């Protein structure tokens, strides 16, 4: 069973949604036919329709070397150059296991203490570095890489072998440096924007180094891309895109992605960037926020239930999430939990989800549920494609270009001026 979308808590909130189906189908066809503002930026889809097995193999070989030789893989990147890798690793890694190298991130913020202590922590360990920047000039990763390069050069004779650069094919400071130093290089393909790049070497190399089966991940997305090619407006990605658009038109402002398992939080953070950067322009788009339930039901759950009625919510859950620990009957029943005897964590979490979806709908929050049959590489690949396609169609419906992010430059320019960067 592929991924499913339950709309039962959304449809009652929608005014005349079927009237939108033709527009959604048209927007979908335009994405498939490349009739978008930047058709060249549909590379995320083209690469799925024409898989490069040699590239997958090369990434797997490099990852095997890292797994063999490194205690730590330091991944340096920000935004689309790191969120996808973190998301997939968080989803597919076994919690509390120490299989393979430790994967650490740097250059994804400017935290002073984090970066200082990071290099102290790396001292004495076998370190590989994967520096990832499409432009090769983003300040946060470039700065972290300056320190990482010095660290690796000081500590290892084979420094140039331990640094792998994932960047543009032909240009940028990182490209030039990598060529000059003879680092191994992987390319961020031209037609793939940062937030759409998790299934390129940007995400695939760190993900493979963490031990995830990247071929299944990639081919899960391939299956999704092939399926959507012949789809009509009934396809879940198109229903989701259409419903979001309709709700936005009705005045809803914020979409909460509510993940029902901590393993899915990274997917939520990746989705947040994908939708936020793709839609949030020209005063349009739903503001995307990820929450992890039931944890956040005890922080902002009150707001979701009774605050301003401008929220929509999409639950992300796993059908076969495993059962986990089973509650045993206890003689004293001192905690009063014997009513749960025989139930597992999995069952209890399911009831929490069902109760929350119903309560929030009753409180005036339309909510969908996206269900993955299992949390495995293939299904995560499908999920990635699901959201990439949905956001592209959504951009068409909104009339914005989903493949650029001009607003990100504003803070950079002011920061560079405060830092005295030469123009
Ligand atoms: O989606 C995007 O394009 C951005 O989030 C970029 O990935 C991010 O700004 C990092 O850019 P770069 O890879 O050029 O360092």
């Amino acid at each position: 069973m592929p991924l499913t979308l339950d709309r039962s808590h959304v449809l009652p909130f929608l005014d005349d949604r079927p009237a939108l189906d033709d527009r959604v189908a048209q927007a979908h066809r335009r994405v498939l036919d490349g009739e978008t503002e930047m058709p060249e930026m549909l590379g995320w889809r083209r690469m799925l329709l024409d898989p490069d097995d040699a590239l997958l193999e090369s990434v797997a070989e490099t990852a095997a070397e890292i797994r063999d030789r490194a205690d730590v893989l330091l991944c340096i990147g920000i935004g689309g150059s790191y969120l996808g890798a973190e998301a997939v690793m968080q989803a597919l890694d076994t919690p509390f296991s120490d299989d393979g190298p430790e994967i650490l991130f740097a250059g994804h913020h400017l935290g002073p203490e984090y970066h200082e202590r990071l290099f102290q922590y790396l001292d004495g360990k076998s370190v590989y570095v994967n520096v990832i920047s499409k432009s090769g000039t983003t300040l946060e990763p470039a700065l972290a890489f300056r320190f990482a390069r010095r660290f690796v050069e000081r500590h290892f004779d084979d420094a140039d072998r331990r640094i792998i650069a994932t960047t543009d094919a032909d240009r940028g400071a990182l490209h030039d440096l990598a060529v000059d130093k003879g680092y191994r290089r992987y390319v961020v393909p031209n037609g793939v924007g940062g937030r759409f790049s998790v299934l390129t070497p940007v995400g695939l190399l760190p993900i493979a180094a963490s031990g995830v089966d990247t071929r299944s991940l990639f081919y899960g997305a391939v299956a999704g891309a092939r399926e959507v090619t012949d789809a009509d407006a009934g396809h879940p990605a198109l229903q989701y895109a259409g419903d979001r658009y309709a709700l936005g038109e009705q005045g809803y402002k914020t979409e909460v992605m509510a993940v029902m398992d901590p393993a899915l939080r990274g997917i939520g953070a990746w989705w947040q960037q994908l939708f936020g950067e793709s839609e949030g322009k020209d005063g349009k788009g739903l503001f995307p926020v990820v929450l992890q339930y039931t944890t956040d039901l005890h922080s902002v759950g009150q707001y979701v239930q009774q605050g301003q009625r401008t929220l929509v919510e999409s639950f992300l859950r796993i059908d076969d999430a495993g059962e986990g620990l089973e509650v045993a009957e206890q003689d004293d029943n001192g905690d009063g939990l014997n009513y749960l005897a025989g139930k597992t964590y999995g069952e209890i979490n399911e009831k929490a989800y069902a109760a929350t979806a119903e309560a929030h709908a009753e409180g005036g929050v339309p909510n969908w549920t996206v269900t993955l049959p299992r949390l495995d590489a293939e299904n995560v690949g499908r999920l990635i494609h699901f959201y990439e396609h949905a956001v592209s169609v959504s951009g068409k419906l909104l009339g914005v270009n989903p493949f650029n992010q001009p607003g990100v430059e504003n803070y950079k320019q002011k920061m560079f001026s405060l830092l005295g960067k030469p123009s």
Side-chain angles (χ1 to χ4, degrees), residues 2 45 65 75 235 243 303 327 332 395:
R45 179 169 160 78
E65 176 188 322
C75 298
H235 187 282
D243 290 352
Y303 191 104
V327 183
D332 62 9

Side-chain angles (χ1 to χ4, degrees), residues 270-310:
W270 169 82
W271 163 89
Q272 195 170 261
Q273 186 208 4
L274 183 69
F275 278 76
E277 273 192 359
S278 302
E279 291 190 339
K281 44 202 81 158
D282 304 338
K284 296 181 182 172
L286 295 174
F287 182 71
V289 184
V290 59
L291 297 178
Q292 182 198 311
Y293 293 169
T294 59
T295 309
D296 290 324
L297 290 175
H298 297 261
S299 64
V300 288
Q302 168 61 40
Y303 191 104
V304 178
Q305 190 69 43
Q306 295 182 335
Q308 284 194 57
R309 300 300 72 192
T310 53

Side-chain angles (χ1 to χ4, degrees), residues 78-81 132-136 138 141 193-195 273 277 405:
I78 196 166
S81 290
I132 308 160
S133 176
K134 182 174 178 168
S135 61
T138 308
R195 58 192 172 276
Q273 186 208 4
E277 273 192 359
Q405 55 285 331

Side-chain angles (χ1 to χ4, degrees), residues 176-189:
D176 297 350
L177 185 65
V179 170
D180 188 45
K181 294 279 182 184
Y183 300 148
R184 253 177 294 182
R185 276 186 295 139
Y186 282 100
V187 168
V188 190

Side-chain angles (χ1 to χ4, degrees), residues 168-372:
D168 190 85
D170 312 301
R171 55 180 165 261
L174 179 59
H175 166 271
D176 297 350
L177 185 65
V179 170
D180 188 45
K181 294 279 182 184
Y183 300 148
R184 253 177 294 182
R185 276 186 295 139
Y186 282 100
V187 168
V188 190
N190 272 335
V192 184
R195 58 192 172 276
F196 291 84
S197 70
V198 50
L199 298 174
T200 73
V202 167
L204 291 177
L205 181 58
I207 292 167
S210 79
V212 169
D213 172 2
T214 38
R215 199 178 158 80
S216 296
L217 177 78
F218 190 88
Y219 272 88
V222 168
R226 287 178 180 157
E227 273 162 27
V228 93
T229 304
D230 300 317
D232 59 24
H235 187 282
L238 305 184
Q239 290 179 328
Y240 175 62
D243 290 352
R244 296 177 79 261
Y245 175 74
L247 290 164
E249 291 291 289
Q250 287 175 221
Y252 290 91
K253 303 276 180 233
T254 302
E255 179 177 358
V256 168
M257 177 188 276
V259 302
M260 291 307 301
D261 192 296
L264 297 173
R265 193 176 183 105
I267 299 274
W270 169 82
W271 163 89
Q272 195 170 261
Q273 186 208 4
L274 183 69
F275 278 76
E277 273 192 359
S278 302
E279 291 190 339
K281 44 202 81 158
D282 304 338
K284 296 181 182 172
L286 295 174
F287 182 71
V289 184
V290 59
L291 297 178
Q292 182 198 311
Y293 293 169
T294 59
T295 309
D296 290 324
L297 290 175
H298 297 261
S299 64
V300 288
Q302 168 61 40
Y303 191 104
V304 178
Q305 190 69 43
Q306 295 182 335
Q308 284 194 57
R309 300 300 72 192
T310 53
L311 300 178
V312 302
E313 190 176 35
S314 54
F315 287 88
L316 179 58
R317 67 177 276 279
I318 307 153
D319 199 38
D320 179 7
E323 294 302 336
L325 300 171
E326 182 177 316
V327 183
E329 184 100 19
Q330 261 179 17
D331 288 347
D332 62 9
N333 195 26
D335 52 14
L337 292 182
N338 270 355
Y339 75 98
L340 294 175
K343 291 198 167 44
T344 62
Y345 256 93
E347 287 172 274
I348 297 167
N349 199 31
E350 269 303 291
K351 298 292 181 223
Y353 147 69
T356 310
E358 200 171 313
H360 288 179
E362 281 173 13
V365 181
N367 61 75
W368 306 263
T369 299
V370 174
T371 298
L372 292 180

